[in-house]
Amino acid sequence: MSDVPVLRLGSIGPDFEAETTKGPIKFSEFAAGSWVVLFSHPDDFTPVCTTELGEVARLQPEFEKRGVKVIGLSANDIASHDKWISDINEVGNVDVQFPIIGDKDRSVATAYGMLDALDKSNVDAKGLPFTVRTVFVFDPKRIIRLTLSYPASTGRQFDEIIRVIDSLQLGDKHRITTPVNWKKGEPVIIHPSVTNEEAKTLFPDFKTVKPYLRFTSEEQGKTIV
Ligand code: BEZ
């Protein structure tokens, strides 16, 4: 059995020091008081990864609007990342500004459980596991609020990460949850812990579909809480 702790929703993200394309960081200092997306890709100079990192660069203003710092990671060194960034910028017509960790010794990947030796579709020429397409979203207390692992063959949908961040940030401010396929601005669900009496004050326009399924508008929660 490995003695690396399994990270779950609610775990505090382990601290680490690492080299990045923007200089050395201590993760606890980088993440302090901010939402953070830490995402790993299998390898530099690979096709799906090139499209993914270009998309993250394109979405950078959307992350910034939400107070989210983004940081990438793979088990390549900084020289490799720096060279590859030119390709990402060219292919995606973007300007990658977020840092990418050079986790050559896989120490951060190990601490975050980003390696999967069982997945034979994601190993290097020596049979060593590449980092899985992993995503961690941390809140400003460095608590893990979302985890994702995607197969090497499938590029991620980063709009979905932003959608979840919108839901989490709204749910942290107001006693609401968000329904299937919800997008920012659409009706939200009143949290089951809110009684109908409380809901009358908090969300006067609320609509009851079932006693356990009550909708309100996002705007109303904003003005009241
Ligand atoms: C890719 O980015 O295309 C890729 C990387 C590692 C394994 C398979 C695909």
Side-chain angles (χ1 to χ4, degrees):
M1 285 282 281
S2 153
D3 53 6
V4 176
V6 176
L7 298 178
R8 298 174 187 277
L9 300 184
S11 302
I12 302 275
D15 199 9
F16 59 84
E17 293 185 17
E19 294 299 324
T20 84
T21 49
K22 298 288 184 188
I25 62 155
K26 185 169 168 63
F27 187 59
S28 54
E29 289 169 8
F30 174 84
S34 182
W35 287 80
V36 174
V37 172
L38 167 65
F39 73 104
S40 52
H41 64 274
D43 198 14
D44 294 354
F45 299 100
T46 51
V48 175
C49 302
T50 302
T51 64
E52 283 193 322
L53 273 81
E55 176 64 0
V56 174
R58 192 186 69 78
L59 288 170
Q60 183 87 35
E62 294 301 320
F63 287 112
E64 278 167 15
K65 250 191 246 171
R66 292 158 175 85
V68 181
K69 290 182 177 176
V70 177
I71 185 162
L73 177 149
S74 71
N76 300 99
D77 60 23
I78 300 300
S80 165
H81 286 337
D82 282 340
K83 266 177 110 177
W84 182 44
I85 284 171
S86 305
D87 282 4
I88 300 167
N89 287 343
E90 183 194 325
V91 171
N93 192 23
V94 292
D95 180 14
V96 170
Q97 284 301 324
F98 58 86
I100 307 173
I101 296 167
D103 190 33
K104 191 83 185 127
D105 66 1
R106 292 171 162 79
S107 57
V108 180
T110 301
Y112 275 82
M114 292 168 165
L115 302 168
D116 180 0
L118 293 180
D119 180 4
K120 296 302 174 206
S121 71
N122 197 33
V123 292
D124 69 13
K126 293 184 201 139
L128 267 181
F130 285 135
T131 37
V132 173
R133 293 190 201 285
T134 313
V135 181
F136 289 93
V137 173
F138 304 87
D139 70 15
K141 292 183 176 151
R142 222 168 76 236
I143 294 171
I144 294 172
R145 303 292 297 275
L146 170 145
T147 62
L148 268 185
S149 295
Y150 259 50
S153 55
T154 309
R156 286 158 284 192
Q157 162 55 290
F158 284 91
D159 286 330
E160 171 63 3
I161 310 296
I162 290 175
R163 193 186 74 88
V164 178
I165 291 169
D166 283 341
S167 170
L168 289 169
Q169 291 186 340
L170 199 62
D172 283 1
K173 282 201 198 115
H174 311 294
R175 293 169 72 189
I176 60 94
T177 56
T178 59
V180 62
N181 295 337
W182 173 86
K183 291 197 198 72
K184 203 172 168 62
E186 293 179 356
V188 297
I189 293 172
I190 299 174
H191 195 280
S193 67
V194 178
T195 65
N196 276 340
E197 280 312 301
E198 288 174 307
K200 280 180 201 158
T201 313
L202 291 173
F203 313 104
D205 78 340
F206 81 93
K207 307 259 176 319
T208 302
V209 176
K210 292 281 177 191
Y212 54 82
L213 178 57
R214 299 161 299 169
F215 283 94
T216 187
S217 60
E218 183 185 330
E219 289 68 34
Q220 199 151 70
K222 268 188 190 146
T223 53
I224 285 166
V225 180

